[in-house]
Amino acid sequence: MSKRKWATSGAFTALSIAVMLSACSSQADPTSNDSSSAPSASNDPNSMDKTVSLTVVSQTKYAPNAVPNEYTKQTEKKFNMKWDYQAIPLSAGMDKYNVMFVSGDYPDFIPNMNQWNAVRKWAAAGYLLPIGDYFDKMPNYRKLYTDDQWNMLKDFTSVNGKIYMVPFITTTFDPMTFIYRKDAFGKAGITSFPKTTDELAAALKKLKETNPNFIGLAVRGGSGNTGIRNLLISFDNTFRIPPDFNGSNGWYGFWHDPDYNNQMVFAPATDKQRAMLSYLSKLYKDGLVQKDFATATEDQFNQNRKNGKDLIDFQYVSHVVSLETADKTQDWEYAKAFVTDTAFGKNPVMFKGPDFALFGSIFSNKLADQPDKLNRLLKYIDWSSTPEGELFNQMGVEGVTYEMKDGLPVYKGDLDRKKVLEQFGFDYYITKNDDAQKTDPVFKIDQEAAPIFKSMETLYAQAAIMNDEDASTANTIMTGVWNEVYQFATKAIMGLVNVNDDQVWKDHLANLNKVGLDKAQAIYDKAMKTK
């Protein structure tokens, strides 16, 4: 890739001559205007001549092997920045970030933050810069959106009327569904993927009989409540409950539920949640769910896939590609539909968020008084929104990480997204490059799956627009509410409490109100009134 040279020697020479002539003129004529008040290149916040130093902490999908790496070096050189850079992979959770913000020692820039509820909390606490006030300086970023999408962005990302994130815009539809080892299913005599919850339970029993190492339905783990949350996500579509992605898909648990006459409900406090927990408790009792789902790590999850203990889990369709690439002896497939709950009797639904992700770049409030640093980051983001910038961030450097074949970029040798991120630090940012996607097998499988899942009954997220006080109150309350939801769900599935006991369920609902659910619901009622 060609390098852009931001300050040429000719421009510097012209500037020097202009300064000398201006100085001589002032000496010759004391009445002339003093040109010394004009900003020099080093003091002009828009100038690229001055090196700016920034602390940057990135929430990467995979951990890079080394820092600095090719990505940080190339970015620093191109934009004359010096980064004190740290990468915290998703698997490490949010603990480090929370400590940074609580201590006040938080970075200037987080390129990709994947926890929308945390962003809202930090924004309400005054830690973040209202970056929406600077969107006019990122015209290429704005061009990525239609007018309707731009209005939706403002609705979904506003905190007290201000925008504190530069969201990534989605270019593909990568649905989550059950992915499974088709070869193992065939060995167990299962010729098609189960259509109902009863059929799924029967299939899991057959897999257990024919595969002694089978751990049951596998769950992607991690820190905190990640394990139980992901187990519930596996069946949320089946029981028509909005999945909890910490708000990153626009769903907050509160919504106007058509199954309850469009009343505003908190989904985990409904009978549908209770029915889901009852079903999962039966699977767990029969050894058909991973025993350590609540405590297992993501590394253990990946290892179970490699060693054949995981034969079915609920993930993005695109995982099929990386799994078969990593081990060509394993035949993975994705389910072409969600299973239907036999007792409930209603069809599963797809829950759809906005056409952009509620994750992206956030900026420290300290940058408000440091325009040279802020403007440099704005230039980087705006450039990253161009085809050249998209390709750089996603694929890297031509000849190093990718090469051109038939006019399209392809990874060199055996490199792929994971290896390029680990070895060189590059990963897609803001949006994916169109040309790069044309040769990407992940894009192809997403294109195949998209019409299948888009044809299902789809329910759309509604923005919850709150003022600063309500957002702060809701964030504080909901931390306790979700902890209660997940603690109870874990105990119910493991059989430590009987979710089918009416008094046990009533006590759980009472506990939710003790930690403030009723107060939070009043806030969301006001914020999500039907327009």
Side-chain angles (χ1 to χ4, degrees):
M1 178 180 293
S2 61
K3 309 288 193 300
R4 181 176 298 175
K5 193 169 184 180
W6 295 99
T8 65
S9 59
F12 177 79
T13 301
L15 177 62
S16 301
I17 292 173
V19 171
M20 289 172 62
L21 289 175
S22 176
C24 291
S25 175
S26 296
Q27 291 173 6
D29 183 4
T31 64
S32 65
N33 293 329
D34 183 6
S35 63
S36 62
S37 62
S40 66
S42 60
N43 293 325
D44 181 0
N46 291 304
S47 171
M48 295 291 292
D49 293 335
K50 177 185 176 182
T51 302
V52 297
S53 297
L54 294 151
T55 53
V56 181
V57 182
S58 184
Q59 191 181 51
T60 56
K61 182 174 177 63
Y62 309 107
N65 296 337
V67 175
N69 50 41
E70 196 67 21
Y71 162 69
T72 59
K73 292 175 184 176
Q74 291 278 349
T75 304
E76 287 177 325
K77 181 180 179 182
K78 185 178 289 291
F79 290 91
N80 199 8
M81 295 186 284
K82 181 64 179 176
W83 282 5
D84 178 2
Y85 181 86
Q86 180 183 359
I88 302 176
L90 283 170
S91 58
M94 288 293 294
D95 293 344
K96 292 185 179 180
Y97 284 105
N98 286 324
V99 169
M100 288 177 183
F101 280 95
V102 170
S103 68
D105 187 23
Y106 47 93
D108 295 317
F109 179 51
I110 300 180
N112 43 356
M113 170 50 58
N114 197 28
Q115 299 287 335
W116 172 238
N117 282 340
V119 174
R120 292 206 305 177
K121 178 177 68 177
W122 297 333
Y127 295 126
L128 304 184
L129 183 77
I131 194 62
D133 293 351
Y134 303 88
F135 277 156
D136 61 325
K137 295 189 176 183
M138 296 182 284
N140 287 304
Y141 177 73
R142 172 62 180 88
K143 291 176 185 176
L144 297 174
Y145 293 80
T146 66
D147 289 344
D148 287 343
Q149 289 172 332
W150 192 251
N151 290 331
M152 191 180 293
L153 180 150
K154 289 186 285 187
D155 282 346
F156 274 89
T157 61
S158 291
V159 179
N160 197 29
K162 293 286 187 178
I163 298 173
Y164 293 87
M165 173 185 279
V166 177
F168 290 10
I169 185 164
T170 53
T171 56
T172 58
F173 184 76
D174 189 8
M176 293 188 77
T177 185
F178 283 111
I179 63 173
Y180 61 99
R181 284 278 300 277
K182 189 175 181 180
D183 51 338
F185 269 59
K187 180 181 176 182
I190 307 167
T191 57
S192 61
F193 194 82
K195 292 181 174 60
T196 68
T197 47
D198 284 350
E199 290 177 8
L200 178 62
L204 293 173
K205 287 179 182 178
K206 287 184 179 180
L207 288 170
K208 195 174 182 66
E209 292 168 1
T210 55
N211 294 271
N213 291 328
F214 177 51
I215 59 173
L217 182 67
V219 180
R220 186 174 186 172
S223 61
N225 292 316
T226 303
I228 177 61
R229 181 168 64 90
N230 284 336
L231 176 56
L232 297 180
I233 286 172
S234 304
F235 291 92
D236 277 333
N237 301 91
T238 292
F239 288 86
R240 299 167 65 94
I241 299 168
D244 172 30
F245 289 103
N246 295 308
S248 64
N249 64 341
W251 292 91
Y252 307 98
F254 296 95
W255 71 307
H256 295 92
D257 192 334
D259 296 327
Y260 297 100
N261 296 317
N262 288 317
Q263 294 181 49
M264 172 69 84
V265 300
F266 179 59
T270 62
D271 289 339
K272 293 190 290 186
Q273 176 90 352
R274 186 182 181 186
M276 179 169 64
L277 295 179
S278 178
Y279 173 71
L280 286 172
S281 68
K282 293 176 185 176
L283 292 186
Y284 188 85
K285 183 179 179 180
D286 292 338
L288 304 179
V289 173
Q290 181 179 332
K291 285 292 183 185
D292 60 349
F293 73 86
T295 57
T297 66
E298 185 169 7
D299 287 340
Q300 288 173 300
F301 171 72
N302 292 329
Q303 189 59 42
N304 286 334
R305 282 176 161 183
K306 290 179 181 178
N307 61 24
K309 292 182 178 180
D310 173 5
L311 304 178
I312 176 173
D313 59 60
F314 193 84
Q315 261 305 328
Y316 295 100
V317 166
S318 58
H319 277 224
V320 169
V321 174
S322 58
L323 287 168
E324 291 190 335
T325 301
D327 187 345
K328 292 181 173 55
T329 66
Q330 296 184 353
D331 182 12
W332 286 87
E333 181 59 281
Y334 66 92
K336 306 300 191 296
F338 305 120
V339 297
T340 300
D341 180 54
T342 308
F344 188 39
K346 289 192 176 182
N347 290 330
V349 293
M350 171 66 70
F351 291 92
K352 177 75 170 61
D355 292 329
F356 51 86
L358 287 177
F359 69 83
S361 296
I362 57 177
F363 305 74
S364 163
N365 59 348
K366 304 168 191 174
L367 295 175
D369 298 323
Q370 299 173 330
D372 52 345
K373 295 183 179 182
L374 175 58
N375 286 347
R376 202 66 56 86
L377 289 174
L378 295 176
K379 289 179 185 292
Y380 168 62
I381 292 170
D382 197 51
W383 174 79
S384 295
S385 305
T386 66
E388 180 189 6
E390 294 164 5
L391 184 60
F392 169 82
N393 283 292
Q394 182 177 346
M395 299 286 289
V397 179
E398 184 177 359
V400 177
T401 56
Y402 75 90
E403 56 192 0
M404 301 298 293
K405 288 187 177 180
D406 299 323
L408 297 174
V410 295
Y411 288 119
K412 287 191 66 177
D414 66 344
L415 292 177
D416 56 21
R417 177 190 177 187
K418 184 173 185 290
K419 291 178 181 177
V420 166
L421 176 51
E422 290 176 336
Q423 298 175 28
F424 301 93
F426 296 99
D427 196 18
Y428 98 88
Y429 178 66
I430 300 295
T431 190
K432 292 183 178 179
N433 178 268
D434 288 341
D435 286 343
Q437 289 198 119
K438 291 175 183 176
T439 60
D440 185 357
V442 168
F443 180 71
K444 292 179 181 178
I445 197 170
D446 285 344
Q447 289 288 94
E448 173 191 297
I452 299 172
F453 287 86
K454 285 183 177 180
S455 66
M456 299 178 184
E457 180 186 356
T458 301
L459 299 171
Y460 294 88
Q462 180 183 346
I465 303 173
M466 304 178 188
N467 60 36
D468 184 46
E469 181 180 357
D470 284 348
S472 178
T473 301
N475 278 328
T476 301
I477 291 174
M478 292 310 296
T479 298
V481 168
W482 280 113
N483 281 337
E484 170 64 24
V485 167
Y486 288 131
Q487 287 173 20
F488 179 81
T490 301
K491 290 186 289 186
I493 292 169
M494 296 179 73
L496 302 178
V497 296
N498 182 8
V499 70
N500 297 311
D501 185 312
D502 288 344
Q503 189 58 50
V504 168
W505 183 249
K506 288 179 182 178
D507 289 345
H508 169 54
L509 297 182
N511 286 335
L512 288 175
N513 283 329
K514 283 181 182 178
V515 293
L517 174 60
D518 51 352
K519 297 180 179 66
Q521 177 139 1
I523 293 173
Y524 275 91
D525 262 329
K526 181 174 66 175
M528 300 174 70
K529 284 187 180 297
T530 304
K531 295 181 179 179

